[in-house]
Amino acid sequence: MANIFPESDMKRREFCRSVLATSVAAAIPGQHLIAGESQCSSELLSTVQAITASGKETTLGVAAVKELKDSLRGSLLLNGDDGYDHARAVWNAMINKRPALIARCEGPTDVVNSINFARANSLRVSVRGGGHSISGKSVCELMIDMSNMNSVRVNGRAATASADGGCLEGHIDRETSLVGLATTGGIVSHTGAAGLTLGGGYGRLCRKFGLACDNLIGADIVTVDGTFRHVSNDENPELLWALKGGGGNFGVVTALEYQLHTQNPMVTAGDLVFDWADARNVLSFYAEYGNELPDELNMNVTLLTTADGERRIAVEAVWSGNPKDADKALGTLRSVAKPLADTVKMIPYTSFQKRGDNSNRHGIRQYMKSGLVSDFSEALVDEVIEIYRPNPMANFFFMQAGGAVSRVKPTDTAFPHRSAHCNMMCWNKWFDPETNKQRAQRIADVKADWAILEPFTHGFYVNLNDDSEKKTHSNYGSNYGRLVEVKNKYDPTNLLKLNANIQPTIKS
Ligand SMILES: Cc1cc2nc3c(=O)[nH]c(=O)nc-3n(C[C@H](O)[C@H](O)[C@H](O)COP(=O)(O)OP(=O)(O)OC[C@H]3O[C@@H](n4cnc5c(N)ncnc54)[C@H](O)[C@@H]3O)c2cc1C
């Protein structure tokens, strides 16, 4: 993973402290305030120091920054403003970056104006949706904050939904379930839908309906030249193809249009928790037969340690088919070993989608590694069981793929990894601030496990990994060349590089 505590941040923090001490907090005139939000912004009395896309320090003039601020319907936050610390905080509390400017966009025009400002000033720019990028890619000099753009419009007759670019997964689940429809969304409801979908989008319905990106049928996007474009199979189709897995490389997405599917709002779901003595059998079963079970059955497996130090293996099972067939579908798993606990029951899908919200709440600290497993061999099962040591902070997690995900051709979307059985993850996560020594040890532990497990992976999920350009290139395989063509066309100077970066090969 990239260094999450860049030196330039520390330097600028010092700089901002001295320069912005001269700023005076004052309320912005009415039209800049969002209803219900009490917010002040600094009267700009001083220039703002920032870092350019190429890493150089630059000074933004008072007039230029004021012009940007006045051009927004939303607010522009600077260090010292009310709301600045809240807006710069992202999910992983280990990320502690201080943007020079945070543009809290209220609509596509705010995005256009922010992008134009970033381009004109050659600023490093990031896009924040749900803030779940574990390595903090959504925070930098000019942070385009989409989180206030979060409404969802469902067209029940056409079975489609249009979600604004700052929507969270829970916003979409909530509105679509109202009319008995759903699309694949992530397993934690406060994850940003745009970030998740643009990189791929695994979830509890993906074996049935495909990845979130497979259900993306259109989008509105502001490309780095400041143009607002609609994207569909008929309009800019190569851009739609690239948005289905190519991440945030091509512009700021202001709306996503999804295909929806009929889905019973009630699912049959819960955990089967097994004793560690049964872990090998359970994992072998998952590896060998998991993906042969019906598409309506999704199983995510966690190796965990209880507070009193006991290891367990837990299978989260979600049956999204006809409830009367649930027991049959789960029968084989239940026959592998006798679970210590079996909490599977009928439950609203939207409630189940929130079950991990608290254990994955904002402010957590996490370091993780992950990769896609195509061949879940007995050798991998052996290694996993062998190396998982009792540690309540550590989990190995297997997020299932297969089913509808694997029936899409690797070249049909930018997301190429169609033969993966599951996404294997290994992390340490904790809630309390740590000492440097503790942090280093926790990161080292994950890296040590990953050194053993990584050789069993084939590629990675770009939404979870921060890898070099070389690795990103090989990860996209034969789709990379086509992605470069789209990047050359829509972001030839690589203004948007805080992502699994597709490097353009021409300069405009
Ligand atoms: C707790 C947790 C649970 C997760 N669960 C799942 C899961 O179930 N399934 C899954 O597939 N992944 C999951 N992920 C990974 C998740 O898909 C990525 O972290 C994703 O990038 C999150 O998007 P975000 O908007 O929340 O993040 P942010 O940090 O806000 O954004 C991350 C990146 O997404 C891009 N981006 C975001 N919004 C836009 C936009 N409007 N336009 C253009 N680019 C944009 C940008 O490149 C940005 O740097 C999870 C991550 C966490 C931390």
Side-chain angles (χ1 to χ4, degrees):
M1 286 214 171
N3 177 11
I4 52 177
F5 303 104
E7 234 175 69
S8 56
D9 265 10
M10 303 301 291
K11 264 167 68 186
R12 215 201 35 255
R13 182 193 282 205
E14 292 310 310
F15 181 92
C16 287
R17 266 198 207 117
S18 59
V19 169
L20 293 171
T22 54
S23 296
V24 177
I28 330 171
Q31 69 189 44
H32 290 282
L33 290 174
I34 307 149
E37 190 172 334
S38 112
Q39 186 163 266
C40 303
S41 184
S42 48
E43 259 330 307
L44 279 169
L45 297 180
S46 168
T47 55
V48 174
Q49 196 74 3
I51 310 285
T52 65
S54 59
K56 294 194 183 113
E57 288 201 356
T58 186
T59 302
L60 304 170
V62 176
V65 176
K66 185 171 182 318
E67 194 182 338
L68 171 63
K69 179 173 159 173
D70 291 345
S71 77
L72 301 180
R73 182 155 65 92
S75 48
L76 184 71
L77 299 180
L78 279 75
N79 192 354
D81 286 347
D82 278 359
Y84 172 85
D85 281 331
H86 176 75
R88 76 181 177 88
V90 284
W91 178 81
N92 187 353
M94 285 205 288
I95 309 301
N96 185 19
K97 300 183 193 166
R98 306 184 79 85
L101 303 167
I102 302 176
R104 306 208 76 194
C105 297
E106 292 286 338
T109 308
D110 284 0
V111 176
V112 169
N113 293 342
S114 304
I115 276 285
N116 284 341
F117 184 86
R119 196 188 57 252
N121 292 283
S122 305
L123 285 187
R124 198 177 276 172
V125 62
S126 65
V127 187
R128 185 207 199 274
H132 274 211
S133 161
I134 296 171
S135 59
K137 284 192 191 128
S138 41
V139 203
C140 79
E141 295 309 289
L142 172 53
M143 180 174 175
I144 298 185
D145 181 353
M146 302 293 288
S147 53
N148 284 338
M149 292 174 60
N150 57 24
S151 79
V152 182
R153 295 155 299 277
V154 176
N155 181 336
R157 234 175 291 158
T160 59
S162 175
D164 288 349
C167 275
L168 304 182
E169 286 297 336
H171 298 148
I172 300 175
D173 286 343
R174 181 182 166 88
E175 305 307 340
T176 56
S177 72
L178 187 68
V179 289
L181 296 169
T183 194
T184 302
I187 63 170
V188 172
S189 85
H190 47 72
T191 308
L196 179 136
T197 304
L198 298 176
Y202 291 97
R204 296 181 173 109
L205 298 177
C206 70
R207 289 169 48 74
K208 193 175 174 186
F209 300 139
L211 296 170
C213 73
D214 298 334
N215 292 287
L216 188 69
I217 54 173
D220 290 336
I221 185 169
V222 175
T223 46
V224 303
D225 59 356
T227 307
F228 176 75
R229 302 168 199 265
H230 184 64
V231 175
S232 69
N233 277 329
D234 302 321
E235 253 177 287
N236 305 304
E238 79 287 13
L239 195 45
L240 179 61
W241 176 87
L243 293 181
K244 293 173 171 219
N249 268 288
F250 310 101
V252 184
V253 172
T254 57
L256 305 118
E257 197 182 343
Y258 292 99
Q259 183 67 60
L260 305 179
H261 310 269
T262 303
Q263 174 61 50
N264 187 337
M266 299 295 285
V267 292
T268 311
D271 294 314
L272 291 106
V273 183
F274 298 90
D275 194 89
W276 187 248
D278 295 317
R280 185 183 303 273
N281 285 346
V282 172
L283 198 59
S284 286
F285 165 80
Y286 180 68
E288 196 166 351
Y289 301 109
N291 284 4
E292 289 176 14
L293 294 171
D295 295 351
E296 292 89 343
L297 183 62
N298 188 88
M299 294 186 292
N300 294 332
V301 175
T302 311
L303 272 58
L304 58 99
T305 306
T306 62
D308 50 7
E310 294 295 326
R311 281 173 293 177
R312 302 271 187 262
I313 184 165
V315 181
E316 180 206 84
V318 179
W319 172 255
S320 56
N322 190 329
K324 70 178 173 36
D325 299 327
D327 278 343
K328 187 173 165 216
L330 284 166
T332 25
L333 173 61
R334 284 182 173 130
S335 67
V336 173
K338 191 170 162 33
L340 298 171
D342 182 341
T343 63
V344 176
K345 61 175 186 188
M346 292 274 285
I347 180 168
Y349 172 67
T350 48
S351 307
F352 203 74
Q353 284 285 83
K354 292 182 180 166
R355 69 182 317 226
D357 284 11
N358 187 45
S359 55
N360 291 289
R361 58 190 176 270
H362 278 258
I364 209 167
R365 289 142 202 274
Q366 178 163 332
Y367 184 81
M368 80 178 291
K369 292 283 187 186
S370 72
L372 297 161
V373 175
S374 300
D375 173 20
F376 207 145
S377 61
E378 272 305 301
L380 175 56
V381 172
D382 287 346
E383 286 293 8
V384 165
I385 301 296
E386 171 74 22
I387 67 175
Y388 182 69
R389 292 174 295 274
N391 177 356
M393 271 182 296
N395 293 122
F396 289 177
F397 184 60
F398 301 87
M399 195 165 185
Q400 198 175 9
V405 178
S406 59
R407 290 192 290 273
V408 176
K409 280 208 306 220
T411 50
D412 280 357
T413 61
F415 183 95
H417 301 288
R418 298 298 175 170
S419 61
H421 174 291
C422 59
N423 190 6
M424 174 168 65
M425 306 172 209
C426 136
W427 65 62
N428 265 4
K429 72 179 181 188
W430 60 99
F431 292 93
D432 298 324
E434 71 287 10
T435 63
N436 287 343
K437 195 171 161 204
Q438 282 169 330
R439 182 191 309 145
Q441 186 58 53
R442 288 165 192 175
I443 290 174
D445 286 348
V446 173
K447 284 184 172 168
D449 287 343
W450 196 245
I452 297 166
L453 297 180
E454 191 180 18
F456 292 93
T457 63
H458 294 95
F460 55 86
Y461 179 33
V462 293
N463 271 358
L464 293 177
N465 287 41
D466 243 1
D467 276 301
S468 61
E469 198 264 332
K470 198 167 152 215
K471 277 196 171 178
T472 300
H473 184 154
S474 65
N475 190 53
Y476 279 111
S478 62
N479 286 346
Y480 193 75
R482 195 168 162 193
L483 283 164
V484 171
E485 278 174 34
V486 182
K487 185 78 174 176
N488 282 343
K489 182 167 175 190
Y490 293 104
D491 186 14
T493 60
N494 208 9
L495 190 71
L496 295 169
K497 58 168 68 158
L498 289 171
N499 39 47
N501 198 229
I502 311 291
Q503 299 227 346
T505 51
I506 54 162
K507 297 257 183 256
S508 67

